[in-house]
Amino acid sequence: MARKKIALIGAGNIGGTLAHLAALKGLGDIVLFDVVEGVPQGKALDLSQCGPVEGFDAKITGTNDYADIKDADVIIVTAGVARKPGMSRDDLLGINLKVMKAVGEGIKNNAPNAFVICITNPLDAMVWALREFSGLPHNKVVGMAGVLDSARFSHFLAEEFQVSVKEVNSFVLGGHGDTMVPVVQYSTVAGIPIPDLIKQGRSTKERIDAIVQRTRSGGGEIVGLLKTGSAFYAPATSGIAMAEAYLFDQKRLLPCAANLTGQYGVDNLYVGAPVIIGKDGVEQVVEIELDAEAKANLQVSVDAVKELLDACKGIDSSL
Ligand code: TXD
């Protein structure tokens, strides 16, 4: 069987880490695309030279030409610019919208059958715009945020309860940003819901509330420490988990930014929700019963996403 082809649009911090992980995990041949000349080629050569040490034969190439992503099976998009001091949110939206337009057209013309995972911020707006510009079916375009946000939540919970991360299962829903909704009700340690563990005296509501807050500002905490960029190891790992669910038809139930069609009272909007990912991409959006607090928080998050989309439509009249 021919090797799968993984195209990574954006060869920055996350793009490079995605390529490294995809090669180590033997997911297929890898094409790194970027608008900057030399960077994808240089990273591809460096990564190729891991092959003899790690024992992988994946072909890793760098390019500035969309023709090279032809017939890719999976495309992960991290292309864009980060917000710089003095840049308004709308300035950033305008720049990254243009990037999504170019990427969407590149995908439409070269790899219309791919499963596309968008990581670029502001995530919920960019994944929606990328879907619009590429014209791919909604089930084949998905955004990565919930897997990362849940990983952060789970990491903090494992520390709190002093157990292996393997025992922790957690869910973060809604938009990617300050309004995300870590769902305590459905987060468990070895199947035991967090509220029950609080009742048992293993933690307190105040401590869990603090963890929820730390999860919400998890990206900012890392930016504050790094100063020159944002998190990239865990975002890349999370993107790869989604790619694997598709490539290996794993039917994993993962929180992803997916197009909702009435679920959670949301219609035709990309918002973080639990979805099943398998060989057909997003195969199902799973609705879970939320308590009043989570429901209200999700509404705030959905409203924030809607506001972002309205801003996008104001910037690009073709949307
Ligand atoms: O949970 C999440 N979704 C996220 C999102 C978690 C962490 C970071 N998140 C966002 O991912 C972040 O805010 C950025 O929007 C993306 C990529 O983050 P990364 O850390 O990889 O950014 P870099 O290192 O700046 O890389 C971006 C690359 C860089 O090499 C640019 O030259 C390239 O994107 N770029 C382009 N590539 C292709 N096409 C176009 N038009 C283009 N413009 C810039």
Side-chain angles (χ1 to χ4, degrees):
M1 200 173 54
R3 285 198 209 134
K4 297 291 183 189
K5 181 166 171 178
I6 320 290
L8 307 171
I9 313 295
N13 278 339
I14 301 181
T17 312
L18 284 166
H20 198 190
L21 286 170
L24 290 175
K25 286 171 170 264
L27 297 190
D29 290 334
I30 298 156
V31 178
L32 262 170
F33 174 98
D34 205 288
V35 282
V36 178
E37 281 175 29
V39 168
Q41 291 84 353
K43 289 199 178 180
L45 188 57
D46 186 9
L47 285 159
S48 300
Q49 292 165 359
C50 298
V53 183
E54 293 287 350
F56 64 71
D57 286 305
K59 201 165 144 236
I60 308 173
T61 44
T63 183
N64 310 109
D65 183 355
Y66 273 110
D68 293 323
I69 71 163
K70 194 165 176 45
D71 296 335
D73 297 286
V74 169
I75 298 177
I76 309 183
V77 180
T78 59
V81 301
R83 190 159 157 181
K84 296 186 183 71
M87 196 189 269
S88 75
R89 193 202 62 179
D90 281 1
D91 293 341
L92 176 75
L93 259 189
I95 296 170
N96 282 353
L97 255 189
K98 275 203 191 120
V99 174
M100 289 306 111
K101 195 168 205 164
V103 176
E105 279 162 13
I107 293 173
K108 183 198 264 181
N109 296 331
N110 297 283
N113 296 317
F115 179 57
V116 180
I117 302 167
C118 181
I119 299 186
T120 302
N121 268 335
L123 191 268
D124 307 275
M126 291 303 112
V127 63
W128 172 82
L130 183 61
R131 208 303 307 170
E132 294 289 317
F133 291 132
S134 67
L136 265 59
H138 283 104
N139 61 309
K140 298 296 279 296
V141 182
V142 69
M144 189 295 291
V147 175
L148 171 66
D149 298 328
S150 303
R152 288 179 172 152
F153 194 24
S154 292
H155 165 71
F156 298 141
L157 289 172
E159 279 191 333
E160 171 66 7
F161 292 103
Q162 294 184 14
V163 294
S164 161
V165 289
K166 290 181 197 158
E167 311 303 341
V168 183
N169 232 307
S170 74
F171 256 123
V172 176
L173 306 180
H176 180 57
D178 308 341
T179 61
M180 71 176 78
V181 187
V183 187
V184 173
Q185 180 191 8
Y186 289 116
S187 297
T188 61
V189 174
I192 310 164
I194 303 297
D196 290 4
L197 292 167
I198 295 174
K199 273 188 212 141
Q200 288 173 16
R202 291 179 190 272
S203 183
T204 61
K205 180 162 186 323
E206 291 67 35
R207 291 179 67 91
I208 299 298
D209 284 348
I211 287 176
V212 164
Q213 200 39 51
R214 191 174 177 196
T215 302
R216 282 201 180 117
S217 45
E221 183 177 357
I222 292 176
V223 170
L225 291 164
L226 295 180
K227 296 190 178 71
T228 54
S230 49
F232 54 99
Y233 294 113
T237 298
S238 304
I240 291 291
M242 291 166 63
E244 286 179 304
Y246 171 74
L247 287 168
F248 304 122
D249 192 20
Q250 288 171 337
K251 315 283 188 207
R252 287 200 66 190
L253 181 57
L254 297 171
C256 302
N259 186 58
L260 302 189
T261 52
Q263 301 90 345
Y264 299 96
V266 179
D267 205 15
N268 203 20
L269 208 63
Y270 269 82
V271 175
V275 302
I276 294 177
I277 296 188
K279 68 176 184 348
D280 297 321
V282 175
E283 298 185 347
Q284 206 184 316
V285 175
V286 177
E287 261 194 287
I288 48 176
E289 186 74 31
L290 297 176
D291 60 26
E293 192 185 344
K295 242 185 217 165
N297 288 339
L298 185 61
Q299 192 54 50
V300 171
S301 193
V302 167
D303 290 344
V305 174
K306 275 189 189 149
E307 210 181 289
L308 267 181
L309 292 201
D310 286 343
C312 288
K313 289 173 187 165
I315 294 168
D316 187 323
S317 56
S318 72
L319 284 169

